[in-house]
Amino acid sequence: MGSRLCKRAVRSGFTDYPFFDPILDMPPSMNPPISAGHPDGAGSNEIVRTDLSTPAVGRLSLYFRELHRLLDAGQTSTNSRDLAAMVNVSAAVVRRDLSSIGSVGRRGVGYDVASLADHIGVVLGSGVHWKAVMIGVGFLGNALLRYRGFERLGFSLAAAFDTDPTKIGGVVGNTKILPMDQLEPVLRELKPELAILAVPSEQAKEVAAQVVALGIQGILNFAPTTLRVSSAVAVINVDLASELQQLAFRIQNA
Amino acid sequence: MGSRLCKRAVRSGFTDYPFFDPILDMPPSMNPPISAGHPDGAGSNEIVRTDLSTPAVGRLSLYFRELHRLLDAGQTSTNSRDLAAMVNVSAAVVRRDLSSIGSVGRRGVGYDVASLADHIGVVLGSGVHWKAVMIGVGFLGNALLRYRGFERLGFSLAAAFDTDPTKIGGVVGNTKILPMDQLEPVLRELKPELAILAVPSEQAKEVAAQVVALGIQGILNFAPTTLRVSSAVAVINVDLASELQQLAFRIQNA
């Protein structure tokens, strides 16, 4: 089921789910849910092996972010109402999402922030150490390499690649920039799961094919082009101009 | 209807549509469609005032992008099958989307690339000249100011704002960086519709409140926090770390 899901190149933003499944011809949100859950329980919560819809995964990711913000602020407990306000959903949705992963708040007490954060983290795989490589260190690649939000979620940017000789050998964030001709040996050695593509459109397809051939399992693609890769590879596309266009559409039609 | 839709802060990526309508408690894709279409027809196509679902708006934005790529390559006609392949949907979905805006391909001939691009452009408001301001010129803001994709779609980045005195007065891309204390007079003069927020999380809510008070109608928010603004303001959130987390979830559960 997961692999069929991964066939879709999923875009980002308000057009969230712009792609219909070519076979089922229905919006992804109506597709069978992703089988989720983690075989190993953690913390005080029992992990229920359950089915999570793709929107639910997105919301869990946001609860996780907000719970960590609470932890940083020293807050030890929270409730569905407060969580709901933090991510703009209803408290009923929060309760349903959390109970679907086996976390039930106690009436009048709510949720323990630390254990709920840990629990969602396990479901989302944030305890797993993921290795990513950056392909393309232009202005966007540069900004992404310096973005500390990735590390906080357990992602390390293990290496970056560019064709520009003036950039090669430099370090951005904590990541060294290597020449593209080292892509093969470095990926074979580091075995990263993820590649972030911040290359021009014209190069994106070729680069995607290269990293997939070298065993990359997931691609976060910032090039404004739709990648067509093996169904075994997950792709998330972020098209920044399209986001702005959709924002404009919403304003125009408000 | 549009304004209710705008109440939702919509996130980006695979969690596309993570937000349920707090009132209807159903995924946005199940909400009543957006009323779309443009009062003035353009080109050879009759514009049908129709209802577009939010995923359809996203797909139209992608067809638009691909049609412009064909135009640049000198191609004059295309068909639903080729367009479908370009954006990873079925040909039936392409035909349905295009007929919903009044564009019907001719059997054996297909679509004229230029007029179809124009027509979708009108529906999406790309003929309208949109003014945007950038708030925050860190590495990400810097990359976004240099991104030429916005201009191509009719967006101009009219001004940028930052608090760092060393950046003020500089020009990035074609946009001048101004101090935050000029936000009010400059926005009152330029009257931009859109603001792009590339500020740290801690400042995002305050900055959002400021720009909304100054008449901004839409916000593209890159700060990893959910903004809560007036229901009359459209918000699209792009959380880059969350995108990567969702990619990891898909790999883990494939």
Side-chain angles (χ1 to χ4, degrees), chain A residues 15 19-20 58-59 87-88 228, chain B residues 15 19 58-59 87-88 228:
Chain A
T15 51
F19 293 104
F20 280 58
R59 290 191 302 269
V87 303
N88 268 7
R228 299 181 68 77
Chain B
T15 53
F19 293 102
R59 290 192 301 270
V87 303
N88 269 7
R228 299 181 70 76

Side-chain angles (χ1 to χ4, degrees), chain A residues 17-243:
Chain A
Y17 295 154
F19 293 104
F20 280 58
D21 186 300
I23 297 156
L24 297 179
D25 205 12
M26 56 170 73
S29 58
M30 296 168 67
N31 284 347
I34 312 174
S35 171
H38 195 280
D40 308 305
S44 60
N45 297 288
E46 189 195 349
I47 301 216
V48 177
R49 199 165 175 90
T50 179
D51 286 329
L52 289 179
S53 72
T54 48
V57 176
R59 290 191 302 269
L60 287 172
S61 171
L62 298 188
Y63 305 146
F64 185 76
R65 182 184 79 188
E66 297 301 323
L67 287 165
H68 276 275
R69 209 188 306 282
L70 295 179
L71 272 181
D72 290 347
Q75 194 174 324
T76 56
S77 72
T78 188
N79 56 51
S80 57
R81 198 189 174 95
D82 290 349
L83 274 173
M86 288 171 216
V87 303
N88 268 7
V89 296
S90 73
V93 168
V94 173
R95 286 191 296 269
R96 195 175 59 204
D97 286 340
L98 298 183
S99 78
S100 79
I101 60 165
S103 288
V104 181
R106 283 165 58 202
R107 183 174 293 271
V109 178
Y111 302 90
D112 179 72
V113 173
S115 66
L116 183 57
D118 283 352
H119 184 63
I120 296 177
V122 170
V123 172
L124 293 179
S126 80
V128 178
H129 180 76
W130 297 91
K131 263 189 230 165
V133 290
M134 175 75 63
I135 321 282
V137 192
F139 289 103
L140 182 61
N142 188 52
L144 294 170
L145 284 172
R146 291 171 192 273
Y147 181 58
R148 295 277 70 86
F150 295 141
E151 268 173 18
R152 259 188 295 126
L153 293 179
F155 297 95
S156 71
L157 291 165
F161 297 87
D162 203 283
T163 52
D164 181 350
T166 66
K167 291 177 184 164
I168 288 161
V171 175
V172 178
N174 300 315
T175 307
K176 193 160 183 189
I177 306 176
L178 305 171
M180 276 301 279
D181 61 20
Q182 282 188 35
L183 190 67
E184 180 167 346
V186 172
L187 264 61
R188 292 210 187 280
E189 192 197 327
L190 295 178
K191 297 185 178 39
E193 296 88 5
L194 307 168
I196 304 175
L197 264 54
V199 296
S201 265
E202 308 78 54
Q203 289 154 38
K205 283 176 202 212
E206 190 191 329
V207 168
Q210 280 180 280
V211 296
V212 167
L214 292 167
I216 286 288
Q217 297 169 60
I219 296 175
L220 185 58
N221 173 39
F222 286 91
T225 191
T226 306
L227 302 178
R228 299 181 68 77
V229 295
S230 148
S231 62
V233 177
V235 177
I236 292 183
N237 293 295
V238 181
D239 183 331
L240 301 170
S242 176
E243 303 285 353

